[in-house]
DNA sequence: ATCTGATTTAACTATTTGGTTAACAAATTT
DNA sequence: AAATTTGTTAACCAAATAGTTAAATCAGAT
């Protein structure tokens, strides 16, 4: 058996599955569509991944593996707090342009199946807030930033960065912009968001 | 035919449909489950609402009608900018506690079917940003707040308020909190978020 | 060359699911 | 009260869909 080819089929399936699951979610995805996209027979899906559920879990874990380093960039990185916020914000836009459906997919499926987070927690590199917490408290002690709970600050950073993408269709309509203008607005946020945050916390 | 009873059945169906659609989305919802929850025969669903699609649209519009006033509270209200941000933030938490799945549902279904927003736009009371824009620009001219695009500020306000609920399962795991602590954290945000925003923009 | 195990396919199955039908019941009109 | 309209149900149908089976093919080992 050609190992390269079989590996190819397996990743071919995973890629096709990613495409379909990320766009349509677990409930909306169809095994036939995944098979078609991978140019294989539907039975092969079940040969490599026993069931829709297992294929979904493989996709989900793989998606989270891409997202985790992004989150770690703000949580577990040693650079200066302000610089970190700037870099994270700048990078996040580029990341979402590359994987437009990914954050929405992860959040959506988690909110339909909250227990699933436990399976992710077990994986290594699951982001934790401990380091960030220390850094924020140090900055407060040094008088660099105003007092704020690290958790609240973290949630603010994440919210300001992720939501404009997840809420795109709604926000686009509310601010009354077409796709192109909205994309421009998002790009501006690369710098605007970090300044907004830093303005708020710096002394 | 008893008009009260038939009205009851119709709203009974709509309520059951809301429950199911909001939790499981269009793709995940089952007509049978809705019928069971409404204590009626599945055929009655089709008697009142011809198809799943039409029932879904009724639910979606009804959901948006609840959300729109919340958004209008920050967009089309005459009170002072800072006061408005404070009131909106405070009210929004209460609103989401009452309708936990609603914002997520609206955003999720819109991102799976972006064209749907057009149907909402036609409805009266669809929120628009015009008034808010004028107010922000006036505040900038008067030297009350730093220069910022009204659209960016609006997106920031909405993001900081909505995302912590939508991303709850993920955020809860990242900040390493149990449900109870996270709920407390969310309640604190009633005041924290508005201060965070105002801190950032005030001169 | 042939055997062996992995890969792939076509055809099939069982179940789920949205939707329909036809008959019955209850209310309203005449 | 007879006729008509509206509301409700049980039984059914057809399409969609996840999953299975059994046979065929392919690559490497013997």
């Amino acid at each position: 058996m050609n190992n390269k080819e079989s590996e190819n089929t397996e990743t071919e399936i995973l890629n096709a599955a990613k495409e379909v699951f990320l766009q349509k979610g677990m409930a909306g995805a169809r095994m036939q569509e995944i098979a078609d996209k991978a140019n294989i027979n539907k039975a092969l899906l079940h040969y490599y991944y026993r069931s829709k559920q297992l294929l979904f879990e493989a996709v989900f874990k793989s998606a989270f593996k891409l997202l985790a380093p992004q989150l770690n960039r703000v949580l577990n990185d040693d650079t200066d707090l302000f610089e970190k916020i700037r870099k994270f914000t700048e990078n996040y836009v580029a990341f979402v342009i590359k994987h437009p459906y990914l954050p929405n997919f992860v959040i959506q499926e988690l909110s339909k199946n909250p227990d699933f987070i436990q399976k992710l927690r077990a994986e290594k590199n699951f982001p934790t807030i401990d380091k960030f917490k220390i850094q924020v408290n140090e900055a407060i002690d040094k008088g660099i930033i105003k007092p704020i709970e690290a958790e609240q600050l973290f949630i603010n950073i994440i919210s300001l960065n992720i939501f404009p993408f997840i809420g795109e269709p709604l926000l686009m309509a509310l601010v009354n912009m077409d796709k192109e203008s909205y994309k421009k607005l998002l790009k501006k946020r690369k710098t605007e968001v970090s300044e907004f945050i830093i303005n708020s916390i710096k002394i």
Side-chain angles (χ1 to χ4, degrees), chain A residues 70-185:
Chain A
Q70 293 294 323
L71 300 173
N72 273 322
R73 196 187 290 273
V74 80
L75 287 174
N76 290 309
D77 198 294
D78 268 323
T79 51
D80 167 68
L81 185 61
F82 288 176
E83 197 51 28
K84 206 155 119 173
I85 293 172
R86 287 197 187 95
K87 277 271 166 62
F88 172 74
T89 301
E90 222 186 297
N91 279 313
Y92 191 80
V93 176
F95 173 73
V96 181
I97 286 166
K98 205 170 178 183
H99 307 282
Y101 298 97
L102 198 145
N104 202 359
F105 169 72
V106 170
I107 285 159
Q108 191 51 33
E109 296 301 328
L110 274 181
S111 77
K112 254 154 211 163
N113 196 353
D115 303 327
F116 211 77
I117 195 85
Q118 301 310 333
K119 290 195 184 169
L120 296 178
R121 249 197 172 123
E123 306 270 313
K124 67 167 183 283
N125 292 327
F126 186 86
T128 49
I129 202 175
D130 306 330
K131 206 166 186 175
F132 180 74
K133 230 166 162 172
I134 293 169
Q135 190 175 29
V136 169
N137 289 331
E138 272 176 13
I140 294 170
D141 288 346
K142 286 184 190 158
I144 298 167
I145 63 168
K146 294 173 198 160
I148 185 169
E149 277 179 65
E151 287 87 353
Q152 297 282 6
L153 178 57
F154 173 67
I155 291 177
N156 291 348
I157 296 172
I158 298 296
S159 300
L160 288 167
N161 276 292
I162 298 191
F163 189 75
F165 290 96
I166 290 185
E168 181 171 316
L170 178 61
L171 291 173
M172 229 170 75
L174 292 174
V175 300
N176 200 25
M177 283 182 167
D178 57 22
K179 196 141 196 152
E180 206 193 349
S181 320
Y182 191 76
K183 293 288 176 203
K184 273 186 200 160
L185 176 145

Side-chain angles (χ1 to χ4, degrees), chain A residues 12-56:
Chain A
E12 202 70 34
I13 291 175
L14 199 65
N15 286 335
K18 261 186 211 171
E19 244 185 272
V20 176
F21 275 125
L22 288 226
Q23 282 184 50
K24 315 211 165 165
M26 169 64 173
R30 296 289 163 251
M31 294 297 266
Q32 187 59 61
E33 192 183 347
I34 295 171
D36 291 347
K37 221 156 233 169
N39 289 313
I40 51 149
N41 192 286
K42 190 160 63 86
L44 252 198
L45 294 183
H46 291 89
Y47 177 76
Y48 281 99
Y49 303 84
R50 292 184 58 81
S51 66
K52 187 184 182 184
Q53 181 64 30
L54 288 174
L55 179 53
F56 168 77

